[in-house]
Structures are given as C-alpha cells and as structure tokens.
Amino acid sequence: GEGSGEVTVSSGNLAPASVGVRVVSTPDSISVKNQSTGAAVSSLNMRAGGSIDLTAVAAINHTSLLSGDGCYTWGVTGGIGKIDADGKFTAADITGEGSITVTAGKKTVSIPVKLFQTGSFDDVRTTSWYYDAAEYVNEKGLITGTANRTFSPNLSVSRAMMTTVLWRMAGQPDVENAQSFTDVAADSWYAKAVAWAQSSGVVTGYGDGVFKPNTDVTRQQMAAMLYRYECSVNGTPTVSGSLSAYPDAVKVSSWATDAMNWCISRGIISGIDGKLVPDGTATRAQCAAIVQRYASK
C-alpha cells in the first residue's frame, strides 16, 4: 500500500543508518521505452508479425520511481497482437491500427500502433523470408520492380538480368568496346551491362558466339558470375574445402566448381534439400537474397 516510512540497518556497536521510503501506487506519469535501445516510445509503426520489448518507467512530482515489470499491467487494443507481462509485444500478421496500454494504479498511458504488411512492394509481405532482401536490392537500385509497387518475386532470373545486377553493383561503368555477342542488340536495355561483363571477364557466353540473354540463369552460372565479379573487383579469392558432401556434386561443371565451392562455403548460395542443384534456376526473390548475402559477406 501507499505510505512513507524508514528502512533502518544496524550492526553490533556501529551507529545505525536509515533511509526514508515513500511508496506510491498511482504515479503522476508513465513513460514507455524500447528495452533494447532505451529510446522513448510514444508511437509505433511496425511490420506485421514483428516484435519489440518495451519497458515502463514512472515518476511523481518529476521524481523517478523505482519499479519493476510487476508494477505495471500491459494491454493491447484493436486486435493488433499480444503483449506479455514483461512488456514484449508481438504484432499480428495483419494490417491495422490499435494501441498498447500500460497501467499502474489509476494511471494509464496509451501508445498508438500501426501495422503494415508491405514495404516498397505490394506483392512482398513483411513476413516473407525475402522481405529484407527485396527491400535491400530495391534501395540499392540493383533489382527494381517489374511495375509500380510490384516485385514479382517468383519470376525467373534471366542471364541478361543477372548481368545487369552485377553491372549495377559495379557502379554501371562505361566500356570503350562494344560487346561481341551476335544475339545482343546494341540498343537493348542490357547491352551496356553485357559489354562491361564481357570486357571484365564476368561472362563468357557460349561457344557459338551467343549470349542467350533471355535464357534463365542456372545456379552454377550465377555462382560463376558472382565469383568472376569478385575476382574483378577484389582479386581472386581463396577457395578451400570441397563439394563432396553434396550427392549431386558431380553434376557441377568443371568451369563452375571453384565458383560454386566459394559461394557455398561463404554462405552466398545455399543448398536445396541437401543438394546443389547446379542446373536449377533462381527466382527474383532468391536472386535478391543471394545478392544481399554477397554484399554482406
């Protein structure tokens, strides 16, 4: 209960010491903070399905009160999620608005909350495994949308597109010599990218002098492009280990072995159900994730 008093401590012949204590059930004010950062929280804009640890502090007469999690009662309105007794809020997988409330005695504070399910693209939900990757490549201008607010995560990646992504990663450099592939028109949207990639050794094309720009890029081709890109900007990386742990390692072409080994060992490309699937293709979502992993390796 509320009240004032003293806590006294004594020991043997030593002079006792005491401290005045005031107990308050209803504070003048309650503030909410992000427990991880200590930053004050007056409102929240959150991704659907996300979570945050909150903590509350109280004051009376502008003096901070000592308190613990058990001094407060947390609540959620609007069906936007749930919050536990320690202030950890987990957002629902919806778009909506509501509030988080925290109460001590007769004092209640409400924090407005807005949940969103999409970021830059309406077809990429915040709970999708590739959400962060799609946001990253879009922000960096590496893989942009296929239409207004449309990312098309399940579309396959062509050789022209993958080459363009790497060209953008390099800063879209100009090259003096035009590309020499017979199936790449000089006015195509990917011509500059292919010219750069050919001159820098990132792509080599096929034996008959064609590039096949509209063909879906395979996983081993993607690995080879990334490996050659790494060689062109940072020098040839050290490759160690082997692919022997994968049952389909023998399907990796000799020209892609080092590249696939390097990508797998660095976590840039991961296996699929325990296999390498070197001739499998990649979606735009998978490509975004691979590019983000490469950039953060």
Side-chain angles (χ1 to χ4, degrees):
E2 291 189 317
S4 298
E6 287 186 337
V7 173
T8 302
V9 59
S10 60
S11 177
N13 295 325
L14 298 176
S18 62
V19 60
V21 178
R22 181 185 179 188
V23 178
V24 176
S25 62
T26 299
D28 291 339
S29 64
I30 301 174
S31 300
V32 177
K33 294 184 178 182
N34 183 322
Q35 186 163 300
S36 299
T37 65
V41 177
S42 58
S43 63
L44 286 172
N45 291 310
M46 291 185 59
R47 288 167 44 180
S51 64
I52 184 173
D53 281 322
L54 301 174
T55 187
V57 293
I60 192 167
N61 294 331
H62 305 289
T63 301
S64 296
L65 298 172
L66 297 176
S67 62
D69 290 334
C71 297
Y72 304 95
T73 301
W74 296 89
V76 176
T77 65
I80 56 171
K82 59 183 179 180
I83 192 165
D84 65 19
D86 295 326
K88 182 176 181 179
F89 172 67
T90 302
D93 187 16
I94 62 171
T95 297
E97 298 183 20
S99 63
I100 294 173
T101 60
V102 55
T103 301
K106 298 179 181 179
K107 183 71 174 180
T108 298
V109 169
S110 181
I111 305 297
V113 179
K114 291 183 179 180
L115 302 183
F116 58 92
Q117 284 188 312
T118 59
S120 302
F121 304 103
D122 292 333
D123 58 348
V124 179
R125 293 168 61 90
T126 58
T127 51
S128 299
W129 64 266
Y130 49 84
Y131 172 82
D132 288 335
E135 290 291 311
Y136 173 84
V137 295
N138 181 61
E139 178 185 354
K140 299 297 183 182
L142 304 177
I143 304 177
T144 54
T146 56
N148 183 36
R149 293 190 58 80
T150 302
F151 187 71
S152 302
N154 296 319
L155 285 183
S156 298
V157 178
S158 67
R159 286 170 51 82
M161 177 183 169
M162 187 62 200
T163 302
T164 302
V165 170
L166 295 176
W167 176 61
R168 290 169 179 168
M169 286 173 61
Q172 303 185 30
D174 289 323
V175 293
E176 294 182 1
N177 299 324
Q179 56 79 30
S180 61
F181 298 115
T182 58
D183 58 346
V184 176
D187 60 350
S188 61
W189 59 268
Y190 48 82
K192 289 184 177 181
V194 173
W196 162 81
Q198 185 181 32
S199 66
S200 59
V202 173
V203 299
T204 57
Y206 292 82
D208 53 359
V210 297
F211 181 66
K212 298 184 180 180
N214 297 318
T215 301
D216 292 343
V217 66
T218 66
R219 285 165 54 83
Q220 65 178 347
Q221 288 174 346
M222 184 178 291
M225 288 182 179
L226 282 167
Y227 177 76
R228 293 169 188 158
Y229 175 83
E230 174 71 8
C231 292
S232 70
V233 297
N234 295 317
T236 303
T238 300
V239 178
S240 59
S242 71
L243 301 173
S244 59
Y246 296 91
D248 59 345
V250 294
K251 295 182 179 181
V252 178
S253 301
S254 58
W255 51 264
T257 299
D258 283 349
M260 185 67 85
N261 194 359
W262 177 73
C263 285
I264 290 290
S265 65
R266 298 300 295 271
I268 298 170
I269 294 178
S270 56
I272 299 176
D273 296 329
K275 296 182 179 181
L276 294 172
V277 197
D279 291 322
T281 57
T283 64
R284 283 169 56 87
Q286 292 168 337
C287 182
I290 289 170
V291 169
Q292 185 186 37
R293 290 177 201 144
Y294 172 82
S296 59
K297 67 179 178 61

